[in-house]
Amino acid sequence: MGDTLEFNEIYQEVKGSWNDGRLRFSKQNVVYKSSKTGKVDSIPASELNLAQWRRVCLGHGIKLGTSSGHVYKYDGFRDTDFEKISEFFKTNYKLELAEKDMCVKGWNWGTAKFSGPLLSFDVNDNTAFEVPLSNVSQCATGKNEVTLEFHQNDDTEVSLMEVRFYVPPSQSDERQDPVEAFAQSVLSKADVIQATGDAVCIFKELQCLTPRGRYDIRIYPTFLHLHGKTFDYKIPYTTVLRLFLLPHKDQRQMFFVISLDPPIKQGQTRYHFLILLFSKEEDISLTLNMSEEDVERRFEGKLSKNMSGSLYEMVSRVMKALVNRKITVPGNFQGHSGAQCITCSYKASSGLLYPLERGFIYVHKPPVHLRFEEISCVNFARGTTTTRSFDFEIETKQGNQYTFSSIEREEYGKLFDFVNAKKLNIKNRGFKEGMKGNIDEYSDSDEDQHDAYLERMKAEGKIREEGNDSDESDAESDESFNPGEEDDDIAEEYDSNASASDSSEDGDDSEDDSAKKKKAKKPKPVKEKKERKPRKEKKQKDTGGPKRPMSAYMLWLNSSRERIKSENPGISITEISKKAGEMWRQLGKDEKEEWDTKAGEAKRDYDKAKKEYKESGGGSASVSKKESKKSGGKKDEKKRKSAGADKDKERSGNDSFKSREFIETSESSSDSDHKSKSKRKKEEERRTC
């Protein structure tokens, strides 16, 4: 048997939902990693003191207990896994894997036992069900009754709201109420947030981007309290998954991001991330509300009673010590401008994308964190609006797709090299079968920027050339067409030497009998000119009438334009319309219905005003102008037609075609004859006088 045992698709129950993951048994520890959140549970082998094999709803499961009082349950094993797991436990952990039967009678009376963080309900010494006390949000008592309320999980289709236990009165010990004893046992292990005692420290008026506003943050030993003007949030440290400290692109501000699971709730809104924004220049002197001995004993040198420094450093240092999690910072990535992030847009808002050592995080609206292990492939796509930018698409193994658009073209080389170094699957790298041999060449390229599209187009061009070889061989046998060489010796009818070419052909017929005779081109028939149809007259705008109503989108845009400008200072007019279109598409049906109703009301008002305007005689002046123009236009058309008919008559009267020179000479001769006749008449009149 090997040193480790690994199992995939092992499930862990988290507040009513099943999260799958991977479980590994090794000589040193037991490690479980959730596929959904990436959270890792590590159980040292030396602390294991309980191991049970049980039949559960998802096949078989293992229940592990530790000497510190923690209990871990993992389900999804097969019946055949029992032997090798049992042997592994005996060999490496010196622990026997005991089989435990569950009660399936369905009885609703039995014995309640508190064992560590679990409340087990037993029937005839067999467990019917178990309640993790960490899932309890509230405990209320009655006369002979105890009510347990549970935290809700949005990922579950059906949620358990509460459970009531009937506790019969005890006759043996009258001094202690059994109901109160039951409730105290529950509350000692329940995840009930109670602000008892003083806060460890308080940070006042911190700028919070998600949820938006300024909050006073009070740090308690077991939870975080956000106190704002409108809302309050209490965040247990057990719900904190990760901490991020990210520098802003302007190098003057810092983001501190807290990842939460389950998220904090406000109505129907869920906040999976708590994002704080700090200025690097803001300093603070902090004094913890604890004695120096307590600080040293609890935090083991991570914190001191009196501290001073930058505000963001103090907040991150305190959170790291209380939550007991590492702070993630950007890795070695540097963009074109030297910053550790990339400016881009996600959905309808712009933000910053940070490539990390083990994933990507986007801040801030909406925040997105993607781990490399949950990414199926990435894709570099051309920008939809301009060639100066490109889109970066990420597709997860669950089938979700995230598109980060409007990334500057200069960032392409740096981002491509980063993705390539992390060995992520690039979707548009080329043909997966035909270009496998070229992948190594891409990674070893000495160029500063590698264009995946260029390599792909080259490969497609080679395939097209190979496919067109047969077509080219057939095309070589065909006679090529050379315009201008075929009929050069034939004179056209409008050439000045047309008669010479005809006569030369007639004289050389006897000499060129063996040669092929080339046929002269026939003169093209003159097409009769068709009468043009009169153009449709444009409708004149009635300036005195009511204005047309706006659409629902235009009404929404007018009300949202100032908000878009305030959220994106310095944005251009074209970018405003682009972002407005994206935001309008993101709106829900309910929000759009509101603007549709407003547009409908505006349309009805317009129809009513237009009707009143027409009834009062509006628009009659414009109609009279149109009629006068139409009548004038008809007269002009008649004049044109009569002039054209006279010209046709003159042309038809001449039997032969008259050249330009003939017309000019004839006109000049007729003018001279007319002048001579007038002179003769004047001389005759003088003589008679």
Side-chain angles (χ1 to χ4, degrees):
M1 180 176 289
D3 295 338
T4 60
L5 281 179
E6 292 190 5
F7 298 92
N8 295 324
E9 296 184 2
I10 301 300
Y11 294 87
Q12 184 183 37
E13 186 266 333
V14 179
K15 295 183 179 179
S17 67
W18 294 103
N19 295 340
D20 66 321
R22 293 179 295 173
L23 181 66
R24 184 182 67 189
F25 297 106
S26 64
K27 291 183 178 180
Q28 294 78 19
N29 53 15
V30 178
V31 179
Y32 177 80
K33 186 172 185 179
S34 173
S35 300
K36 178 188 175 185
T37 61
K39 186 178 180 181
V40 178
D41 293 335
S42 181
I43 310 169
S46 58
E47 294 185 4
L48 290 174
N49 60 5
L50 174 67
Q52 291 181 354
W53 179 267
R54 308 186 300 178
R55 179 67 184 269
V56 293
C57 60
L58 295 177
H60 292 79
I62 287 180
K63 178 183 177 182
L64 301 176
T66 63
S67 57
S68 59
H70 293 88
V71 177
Y72 301 90
K73 293 187 291 183
Y74 304 106
D75 300 342
F77 295 95
R78 298 177 182 176
D79 192 12
T80 55
D81 297 334
F82 173 74
E83 293 182 0
K84 55 183 179 182
I85 295 175
S86 177
E87 186 178 351
F88 187 89
F89 273 45
K90 288 179 181 179
T91 306
N92 297 288
Y93 302 152
K94 303 296 187 290
L95 192 65
E96 184 179 356
L97 184 62
E99 293 188 66
K100 182 73 172 177
D101 294 331
M102 305 291 289
C103 179
V104 292
K105 291 183 177 180
W107 293 2
N108 63 344
W109 66 89
T111 305
K113 295 181 179 180
F114 293 92
S115 57
L118 292 178
L119 166 62
S120 77
F121 188 80
D122 296 348
V123 178
N124 295 337
D125 294 331
N126 289 331
T127 303
F129 63 87
E130 292 176 336
V131 178
L133 295 178
S134 59
N135 294 354
V136 177
S137 63
Q138 194 58 257
C139 179
T141 59
K143 184 177 180 180
N144 291 320
E145 199 173 63
V146 179
T147 303
L148 305 185
E149 297 180 5
F150 300 97
H151 292 288
Q152 300 304 303
N153 192 345
D154 295 333
D155 297 334
T156 58
E157 296 181 0
V158 179
S159 297
L160 179 63
M161 299 294 293
E162 67 177 27
V163 172
R164 294 185 180 182
F165 292 94
Y166 173 76
V167 182
S170 176
Q171 298 178 358
S172 60
D173 190 2
E174 298 180 355
R175 290 175 296 177
Q176 187 178 9
D177 188 3
V179 174
E180 291 295 332
F182 190 99
Q184 290 298 325
S185 300
V186 172
L187 290 173
S188 62
K189 299 292 183 180
D191 189 12
V192 179
I193 300 174
Q194 295 177 348
T196 57
D198 296 330
V200 176
C201 60
I202 300 175
F203 299 98
K204 293 196 173 184
E205 291 294 322
L206 296 185
Q207 183 180 357
C208 191
L209 300 181
T210 305
R212 191 175 177 182
R214 287 193 173 270
Y215 291 86
D216 293 340
I217 297 182
R218 300 176 181 178
I219 307 294
Y220 287 90
T222 58
F223 67 94
L224 183 71
H225 184 198
L226 270 69
H227 177 69
K229 293 181 179 179
T230 309
F231 301 110
D232 280 10
Y233 302 100
K234 293 179 181 178
I235 305 171
Y237 295 142
T238 55
T239 64
V240 177
L241 283 180
R242 293 176 184 85
L243 303 174
F244 301 91
L245 189 61
L246 309 171
H248 198 280
K249 193 173 184 179
D250 59 7
Q251 302 299 327
R252 293 182 297 176
Q253 300 179 97
M254 296 291 291
F255 292 108
F256 185 64
V257 183
I258 303 174
S259 176
L260 303 173
D261 183 49
I264 56 178
K265 306 174 184 178
Q266 181 57 51
Q268 296 299 322
T269 307
R270 303 291 183 267
Y271 298 105
H272 293 270
F273 293 88
L274 177 65
I275 302 179
L276 302 173
L277 182 63
F278 299 96
S279 175
K280 284 187 174 182
E281 300 175 354
E282 193 173 355
D283 298 332
I284 189 175
S285 295
L286 186 64
T287 301
L288 300 183
N289 190 17
M290 299 173 68
S291 63
E292 292 184 0
E293 293 79 8
D294 293 340
V295 173
E296 182 65 28
R297 185 180 68 256
R298 176 161 185 175
F299 301 113
E300 299 177 354
K302 297 178 182 178
L303 298 177
S304 58
K305 182 175 177 61
N306 297 309
M307 297 180 291
S308 62
S310 300
L311 179 58
Y312 73 90
E313 290 181 353
M314 293 296 101
V315 173
S316 58
R317 190 174 171 185
V318 171
M319 287 298 298
K320 180 181 178 181
L322 286 168
V323 178
N324 197 19
R325 294 197 180 277
K326 296 179 181 179
I327 295 179
T328 305
V329 296
N332 300 324
F333 175 82
Q334 276 195 346
H336 175 72
S337 60
Q340 294 179 300
C341 57
I342 296 173
T343 304
C344 61
S345 297
Y346 177 61
K347 292 187 177 179
S349 60
S350 60
L352 299 173
L353 179 67
Y354 290 85
L356 307 174
E357 287 299 318
R358 295 184 180 180
F360 295 96
I361 186 170
Y362 172 83
V363 290
H364 79 287
K365 193 176 181 181
V368 177
H369 178 232
L370 298 169
R371 293 174 285 117
F372 288 156
E373 56 194 37
E374 63 179 338
I375 294 177
S376 172
C377 62
V378 299
N379 183 32
F380 293 88
R382 294 181 180 177
T384 55
T385 57
T386 177
T387 57
R388 298 178 184 175
S389 63
F390 67 95
D391 297 347
F392 183 56
E393 300 173 353
I394 299 177
E395 187 174 341
T396 62
K397 293 177 182 178
Q398 287 79 19
N400 300 323
Q401 187 169 353
Y402 301 86
T403 302
F404 303 97
S405 59
S406 302
I407 304 176
E408 294 180 359
R409 187 172 56 185
E410 290 78 12
E411 304 285 1
Y412 172 69
K414 300 284 186 180
L415 185 58
F416 185 88
D417 293 341
F418 175 82
V419 171
N420 201 24
K422 296 301 179 182
K423 298 180 180 179
L424 295 177
N425 182 22
I426 302 175
K427 190 175 183 180
N428 60 337
R429 197 166 202 163
F431 300 109
K432 292 184 179 178
E433 293 80 14
M435 298 185 67
K436 279 184 180 177
N438 297 332
I439 292 176
D440 295 336
E441 296 177 3
Y442 296 157
S443 59
D444 296 336
S445 176
D446 294 331
E447 297 177 358
D448 292 336
Q449 292 185 355
H450 171 73
D451 195 349
Y453 280 106
L454 181 61
E455 298 294 338
R456 186 176 180 181
M457 293 302 107
K458 285 181 180 179
E460 291 180 354
K462 288 180 182 179
I463 294 173
R464 281 197 293 268
E465 287 177 2
E466 293 174 359
N468 293 335
D469 286 343
S470 59
D471 297 336
E472 290 178 0
S473 60
D474 295 339
E476 289 175 358
S477 60
D478 295 336
E479 187 176 351
S480 60
F481 172 70
N482 297 320
E485 296 179 4
E486 186 176 352
D487 297 326
D488 284 347
D489 56 340
I490 301 175
E492 300 290 343
E493 61 179 353
Y494 46 80
D495 288 345
S496 58
N497 58 347
S499 59
S501 63
D502 293 335
S503 61
S504 63
E505 283 183 359
D506 295 334
D508 296 332
D509 283 342
S510 59
E511 297 176 1
D512 298 332
D513 292 337
S514 62
K516 293 182 180 179
K517 295 181 180 180
K518 297 180 181 180
K519 298 181 181 180
K521 289 185 178 179
K522 296 181 181 180
K524 295 180 181 179
V526 180
K527 295 182 180 179
E528 295 181 358
K529 293 183 179 180
K530 297 181 180 179
E531 293 184 2
R532 291 183 179 178
K533 296 181 180 179
R535 293 181 180 178
K536 294 181 179 179
E537 296 179 1
K538 294 182 179 179
K539 295 181 179 180
Q540 288 188 350
K541 189 175 180 180
D542 191 1
T543 56
K547 292 184 178 180
R548 290 180 176 273
M550 291 186 180
S551 62
Y553 169 72
M554 291 304 298
L555 291 171
W556 172 84
L557 178 59
N558 288 340
S559 65
S560 306
R561 184 178 283 108
E562 295 300 327
R563 179 168 61 86
I564 297 173
K565 287 182 180 179
S566 61
E567 292 178 357
N568 304 278
I571 190 172
S572 61
I573 297 175
T574 55
E575 289 293 329
I576 289 176
S577 59
K578 176 186 172 183
K579 286 188 179 296
E582 293 177 355
M583 293 172 67
W584 176 256
R585 286 191 291 271
Q586 295 294 330
L587 288 180
K589 292 183 179 179
D590 298 337
E591 295 176 340
K592 285 187 178 181
E593 283 181 2
E594 178 185 352
W595 296 102
D596 288 336
T597 53
K598 290 183 179 180
E601 293 176 359
K603 182 68 169 58
R604 288 191 292 272
D605 294 341
Y606 167 75
D607 294 338
K608 184 178 179 181
K610 188 176 180 182
K611 186 177 180 182
E612 295 176 355
Y613 176 71
K614 287 186 177 181
E615 290 176 355
S616 62
S620 58
S622 60
V623 173
S624 61
K625 288 181 181 179
K626 290 179 184 178
E627 291 177 354
S628 62
K629 283 187 177 180
K630 287 181 180 179
S631 60
K634 289 180 180 179
K635 291 179 181 179
D636 294 338
E637 285 182 7
K638 288 181 180 179
K639 288 181 181 179
R640 292 194 199 103
K641 288 181 180 179
S642 61
D646 295 339
K647 289 181 181 179
D648 294 338
K649 287 180 181 179
E650 290 178 1
R651 289 177 183 172
S652 61
N654 297 328
D655 296 332
S656 62
F657 176 76
K658 292 183 180 181
S659 65
R660 185 176 179 183
E661 293 82 3
F662 178 79
I663 293 171
E664 289 177 356
T665 53
S666 62
E667 287 177 355
S668 60
S669 61
S670 62
D671 292 340
S672 58
D673 294 341
H674 181 69
K675 289 179 181 179
S676 59
K677 287 181 181 180
S678 60
K679 285 181 180 180
R680 289 173 185 173
K681 286 182 179 180
K682 288 180 180 180
E683 289 178 357
E684 290 177 355
E685 289 177 355
R686 288 176 184 174
R687 289 174 184 176
T688 53
C689 294

